Amino acid sequence: FNVLHTGQQPASITFSTRVEDRFGCTPWSTGEAGAPILRESLCVFECERFGLHDGGDHHILVGQVVKASFDASLDPLLFFRGSYRRLHFD
């Protein structure tokens, strides 16, 4: 699971559209469990499958975090009510 920072808005747009090769223009590597890790992300959570539950018309996958990283010098990329936003800290 990747949490993007404000400088990764182009990657967010790429992954939210129907681009044929989403990973072609976004630098990434393979995590320890095989999941794609986007370089320079604000946070990365690598998980193992802990549970799978019936959610009616979908499944609920619960993961157990086995590795996490965080860069406190970066601000999170937020998308809320149809626009990219910034958090304001006082």
Side-chain angles (χ1 to χ4, degrees):
F1 178 69
N2 297 274
V3 178
L4 304 181
H5 66 81
T6 54
Q8 291 178 300
Q9 186 173 332
S12 173
I13 293 167
T14 296
F15 282 94
S16 68
T17 59
R18 294 183 183 219
V19 175
E20 187 172 315
D21 183 10
R22 292 181 176 138
F23 290 94
C25 58
T26 304
W28 65 282
S29 60
T30 303
E32 292 179 16
I37 304 298
L38 302 182
R39 289 194 195 137
E40 300 178 6
S41 290
L42 172 73
C43 309
V44 173
F45 299 97
E46 295 187 59
C47 302
E48 292 178 348
R49 187 164 131 177
F50 183 77
L52 184 64
H53 305 281
D54 184 8
D57 63 348
H58 61 282
H59 297 290
I60 301 166
L61 176 65
V62 179
Q64 179 175 350
V65 177
V66 295
K67 183 178 179 182
S69 61
F70 176 71
D71 186 342
S73 69
L74 300 171
D75 291 326
L77 179 63
L78 303 174
F79 190 81
F80 179 68
R81 293 186 178 169
S83 299
Y84 286 96
R85 312 279 182 158
R86 289 188 166 266
L87 282 180
H88 300 284
F89 295 103
D90 293 331

